[in-house]
Amino acid sequence: MNKKMTILLLMISSLGFAQYGYRDGNRIGISGGISQTTLFTNNFNAKPETGFAGGLSVRGNYYNNWSMIYGMQFFSNNFSLESNFNDNVKYTIEGVQIRLLFSYNVIQDHISLDFGPVLQINGKLKVSSSDENKLIKGTLLKANQIVDVSPVSGNFYLGGSAGGKVIRLVIFYEYGFTNILNKLNKDDNLKVLNNGDSFKGNLGTINGQVIFNL
């Protein structure tokens, strides 16, 4: 996973610097900030938790008031599920995203609206050792039995940015349109412990970040 992330980062960096001198409107940006993530599912009682993300992007002129943004983000997001003890079991999901976004420049170099697809590569969910054997409320599943989520998922990105040419505030929402719990459906024993139900869940994340353009 770490090797793949490094290779992807080098590819994005190379593309960014290759494009930097192509048009005056192009910008290479380094960003970072906080996130709040939840899992939309009927299988469990989920609650949002705070995490963080950051990465590298390249914004390039496209046509008239339109630009394109492509880049990579590393993330460490969190959400929690309610246990049979009526407390919350916190899960961490880490990975990398590759984005290709369209951007409409409301005010050139100052305000934009951004949207587009995001490819997300996920590691396994992480849970504290003290919570591993807790039963998830409404099921016979232990907390550590549902950590092997789908390694690849897709999101839709919708957001906006405001500021100057060098520093901008970015706020965006991402909704996972693929079932991130689908890999769990391959284990019939887990379905039995889940009241015989199939697993289905979609991640939703809101982010607030600061981007520094080089």
Side-chain angles (χ1 to χ4, degrees):
M1 175 65 74
N2 290 333
K3 289 182 179 179
K4 291 180 180 179
M5 290 182 181
T6 301
I7 292 172
L8 287 170
L9 180 59
L10 290 173
M11 290 174 62
I12 295 295
S13 300
S14 298
L15 285 171
F17 283 104
Q19 290 289 323
Y20 183 68
Y22 185 66
R23 292 181 179 177
D24 291 340
N26 287 10
R27 295 286 184 270
I28 300 173
I30 300 172
S31 61
I34 60 174
S35 64
Q36 188 175 64
T37 301
T38 194
L39 179 69
F40 295 103
T41 179
N42 292 324
N43 299 125
F44 318 114
N45 296 327
K47 296 182 179 179
E49 299 283 353
T50 301
F52 62 90
L56 178 71
S57 63
V58 178
R59 173 186 291 269
N61 292 331
Y62 182 63
Y63 179 76
N64 288 342
N65 292 326
W66 290 91
S67 300
M68 293 192 71
I69 303 171
Y70 50 95
M72 174 183 292
Q73 287 257 313
F74 295 95
F75 64 89
S76 178
N77 294 333
N78 301 291
F79 62 88
S80 62
L81 302 180
E82 190 175 358
S83 77
N84 279 340
F85 297 102
N86 293 320
D87 61 356
N88 296 322
V89 176
K90 184 176 179 180
Y91 288 86
T92 299
I93 180 169
E94 297 178 340
V96 63
Q97 296 179 335
I98 301 173
R99 299 172 175 171
L100 180 60
L101 308 177
F102 292 95
S103 178
Y104 179 73
N105 299 299
V106 180
I107 301 177
Q108 186 69 34
D109 294 323
H110 294 289
I111 298 176
S112 69
L113 299 176
D114 313 319
F115 61 93
V118 178
L119 175 67
Q120 181 167 305
I121 301 172
N122 308 300
K124 290 184 178 182
L125 298 181
K126 296 180 180 179
V127 61
S128 171
S129 58
S130 61
D131 291 333
E132 287 181 348
N133 293 316
K134 289 183 178 179
L135 294 178
I136 301 302
K137 189 172 184 177
T139 75
L140 295 176
L141 291 161
K142 294 181 180 179
N144 64 353
Q145 290 182 296
I146 54 174
V147 297
D148 196 9
V149 296
S150 299
V152 178
S153 57
N155 302 337
F156 182 77
Y157 177 114
L158 178 63
S161 67
K165 288 186 177 181
V166 178
I167 300 177
R168 300 179 83 166
L169 175 65
V170 183
I171 298 176
F172 59 92
Y173 181 77
E174 291 181 339
Y175 178 75
F177 57 80
T178 57
N179 179 12
I180 197 169
L181 302 181
N182 191 50
K183 189 176 180 181
L184 301 175
N185 290 320
K186 297 179 180 180
D187 190 331
D188 291 334
N189 293 325
L190 292 181
K191 284 187 179 181
V192 172
L193 297 176
N194 193 36
N195 304 308
D197 296 331
S198 296
F199 294 90
K200 188 177 188 306
N202 304 81
L203 289 176
T205 304
I206 187 169
N207 285 262
Q209 298 186 1
V210 176
I211 183 168
F212 297 91
N213 290 310
L214 303 180

